[in-house]
Amino acid sequence: MEAPRMSGKPGGIMAGEMAEQPMVLRRILEQGAPRIREVAAAIAARGPRFVLLTARGTSDNAALYAKYLLEIRLGLPCGLTSMSTTTAYGARPDLTDVLVITVSQSGGSPDLVASTKAAREGGAITLAVTNNPNSPLVAVSEFHIDILAGPEKALPATKTYTASLLALYLFVEGLRGGDGAAAKVLPDLASQVLARQDEVRHLASRYRFAERMVITSRGYGYPTAKEAALKLMETSYIPALSYSGADLLHGPLAMVDNISPVIAVVTDGKGGEALQPVLDRLRGRGADLVVVGPAPQAEAASAGFVLPTEGVPEELQPILEILPLQLLAYEVTIARGQDPDAPRALAKVTETH
């Protein structure tokens, strides 16, 4: 049974789809996991020596998450592709024994389809991770994983992002012979996080008149920072700049002052430990710092949202981290008198070439 859609008010479609996420996560674990394991086993048997990840927009942030998983959990070197090398310049590299993973909600963008087709012709093992099993992307790919998110009608992608993360996690676990059992806690924890919308609404009041924002993280949390920035920009139109904490120290920190709103995504693990010196520097500059993460860090900031990270492996925390930040983008947009269901100048399927 689907969560009710509250489409009678501004942002109602986005709100309904955010609310569906626990159900989508449970559907992937119960219905999608066996197929994902089969695909992973078939690809593992081929022994890929390298991985290339291809995506745009929100899916690009999911692909970045997969890059961290593949490099950390499997030790496989990974790269994010530049599709124009194929579609605009006509390059045709030798991709023998290379796994090319294309992540796309719709599977319909011409450059994604063309670059995947060229990769397969160049000898690559091609895998499409999509929400549309009947898409052109699936047709040109050797393997396919359906993320089972159901139709997504809101322009800002929410449930397809978390569904992509979970599907990619299960795929990587399958490559290494794991069963992904650690993910079983996610649907219930996601429900708990989404039930705290009033807390997020209170946080949103800090950003109603913001002229820009900075979002930072390290490690597994970095894709979350990038996705949160994208959500804020496409719904509320606030220029939101996302940085790895390490990159923030290499120059951009100079723009942060005591009126600069900064959101830090702190994973409970090595990524969060690596971010601590950055948090210290931000506090030293008097930044308006909000932390999304475990209790000690969130409670020590100007404001925070405490995530239930106990017992959740660091590599799974991004699926929970993004939820309050999706809600934040929604609440800030509503507070600014705009409709997150109808961002200007955007279409659901973006056709790039």
Side-chain angles (χ1 to χ4, degrees):
M1 179 177 176
E2 288 200 352
R5 293 186 183 277
M6 298 170 282
S7 55
K9 64 175 184 177
I13 299 174
M14 182 181 177
E17 289 178 348
M18 286 189 293
E20 288 179 26
Q21 290 177 103
M23 179 171 33
V24 171
L25 297 175
R26 186 168 284 109
R27 183 187 303 144
I28 295 169
L29 290 168
E30 294 176 355
Q31 300 176 25
R35 172 60 181 161
I36 294 173
R37 282 195 295 269
E38 287 177 10
V39 170
I43 291 176
R46 302 271 287 274
R49 59 185 173 85
F50 192 88
V51 181
L52 289 174
L53 294 143
T54 303
R56 296 282 191 203
T58 284
S59 294
D60 197 37
N61 299 326
L64 180 59
Y65 167 74
K67 184 177 188 293
Y68 277 91
L69 282 174
L70 288 158
E71 290 185 342
I72 295 170
R73 305 283 285 172
L74 292 181
L76 269 176
C78 299
L80 300 174
T81 61
S82 299
M83 280 170 277
S84 62
T85 62
T86 298
T87 59
Y89 292 93
R92 293 294 185 269
D94 179 1
L95 297 177
T96 304
D97 298 329
V98 173
L99 171 60
V100 172
I101 303 173
T102 305
V103 186
S104 171
Q105 174 193 324
S106 68
S109 186
D111 56 353
L112 292 168
V113 175
S115 61
T116 301
K117 183 174 183 291
R120 189 171 181 181
E121 291 169 351
I125 308 161
T126 51
L127 168 64
V129 179
T130 81
N131 197 38
N132 183 0
N134 300 312
S135 64
L137 178 62
V138 172
V140 300
S141 300
E142 184 177 359
F143 296 97
H144 170 238
I145 289 174
D146 186 347
I147 64 172
L148 300 174
E152 187 170 61
K153 297 181 179 179
L155 283 171
T158 54
K159 63 179 182 175
T160 52
Y161 179 69
T162 49
S164 295
L165 296 192
L166 179 54
L168 288 163
Y169 168 80
L170 293 173
F171 171 69
V172 173
E173 284 299 289
L175 287 178
R176 62 195 296 268
D179 60 5
K184 291 181 179 179
V185 299
L186 291 176
D188 289 342
L189 291 178
S191 293
Q192 294 172 25
V193 171
L194 290 168
R196 295 161 58 193
Q197 189 161 357
D198 287 346
E199 288 182 49
V200 179
R201 189 173 297 120
H202 178 72
L203 281 178
S205 64
R206 306 170 74 90
Y207 306 122
R208 182 175 180 181
F209 301 107
E211 295 183 0
R212 70 162 185 252
M213 295 174 64
V214 172
I215 307 177
T216 188
S217 189
R218 291 204 69 180
Y220 285 112
Y222 180 43
T224 307
K226 290 176 67 66
E227 174 62 11
L230 177 61
K231 285 292 154 287
L232 282 160
M233 287 189 287
E234 68 183 356
T235 56
S236 69
Y237 318 141
I238 297 174
L241 308 173
S242 58
Y243 294 100
S244 157
D247 288 333
L248 185 62
L249 296 183
H250 284 272
L253 185 67
M255 71 178 173
V256 176
D257 55 26
N258 60 3
I259 61 170
S260 299
V262 179
I263 297 175
V265 180
V266 182
T267 54
D268 190 0
K270 293 182 179 179
E273 293 169 8
L275 191 64
Q276 288 307 310
V278 182
L279 300 180
D280 292 340
R281 291 285 297 277
L282 288 168
R283 292 188 186 99
R285 294 188 65 81
D288 177 12
L289 178 63
V290 168
V291 167
V292 174
Q297 288 81 0
E299 292 169 354
S302 305
F305 187 97
V306 177
L307 282 175
T309 60
E310 185 176 354
V312 182
E314 182 178 3
E315 60 270 17
L316 280 172
Q317 291 173 34
I319 298 172
L320 300 176
E321 289 166 352
I322 192 58
L323 300 177
L325 295 168
Q326 291 173 345
L327 292 172
L328 181 68
Y330 170 87
E331 292 291 350
V332 169
T333 304
I334 295 295
R336 290 164 71 97
Q338 295 153 198
D339 184 357
D341 284 342
R344 62 194 181 206
L346 294 182
K348 189 61 183 169
V349 179
T350 302
E351 295 193 356
T352 45
H353 295 270

